[in-house]
Amino acid sequence: MRLDPIFDFPPAPCVAIEGREQVFPVRRVFCVGRNYAAHAAEMGNEVDREAPFYFTKSAHAVIPSGSDIVYPPGTQDCHHEMEFVIAIGADAFEISENRALDVVYGYACGIDLTRRDLQAVAKAGRRPWDLGKDFENAAIMGAITPAAEFGAVGAQAIWLDRDGARVQDATLAEMVWSVPEIIAHLSRFYHLAAGDLIYTGTPAGVGPVSPGSVLTGGIDGLSPVTLTIKT
Ligand code: MN
């Protein structure tokens, strides 16, 4: 006997695909920590090449580029983190670095919104980062460009303008862990599958947003990501 759910399960958030009349349904959101040395340094950390580390966000934290959101609750120090996002399009478990790009559907611009004050409290108390990282509207996604149309990940510029001033400005060549290294490593711990997103970390220049802030982020070859914080 099939039991009926007591309420309609919310549909998976979907991300636009550049040039397609289709969308990418989101399954899970993984995020890499400290993947740019200059950002790690500005946060008072050193990067290590021992292994990447991760945190996650709920798929329901994903909102589209162009959104207009209220300032997030419970924080006095909400920060923008501009990121290069990998969209996984096929199963990957214990995949090799050599095969890792085969499971990439495409790439996108994303913003990892962070309640920095709550993250700092969590770090100091050796507690999980969830309150600082996983909250409503905390994963902003630009449209996904299929990997074949983007080409090889190299020294593409990655930047973010806050209220018209450039505050984050780097290249993808500065990533400590490459796309194949991240996918291969993460796939040792999860059965990655179509619908998974991986935010690959932020360059230096993170900073606070406030009511009225307008964020515009870009990566060469990708559709931009924008976000407005309501006044
Ligand atoms: Mn981040």
Side-chain angles (χ1 to χ4, degrees), residues 2 4-13 26-27 58-60:
R2 180 180 171 279
D4 288 326
I6 60 166
F7 54 85
D8 291 332
F9 192 77
V26 179
R27 182 169 180 258
S58 162
H60 294 278

Side-chain angles (χ1 to χ4, degrees), residues 63-142:
I63 58 169
S65 172
S67 293
D68 190 354
I69 67 167
V70 296
Y71 189 82
T75 180
Q76 309 298 322
D77 194 26
C78 183
H79 277 204
H80 55 77
E81 296 192 354
M82 176 63 199
E83 311 211 359
F84 178 64
V85 182
I86 306 165
I88 299 293
D91 290 349
F93 180 63
E94 297 183 342
I95 197 168
S96 67
E97 288 176 21
N98 289 341
R99 303 290 308 279
L101 293 179
D102 295 348
V103 302
V104 174
Y105 174 76
Y107 302 105
C109 291
I111 297 173
D112 163 14
L113 216 53
T114 301
R115 294 192 284 212
R116 190 71 71 203
D117 44 358
L118 301 189
Q119 185 197 27
V121 168
K123 282 182 180 175
R126 305 173 72 85
R127 288 175 178 166
W129 290 6
D130 301 49
L131 281 183
K133 288 292 194 179
D134 185 10
F135 53 97
E136 292 93 352
N137 306 327
I140 301 91
M141 282 292 297

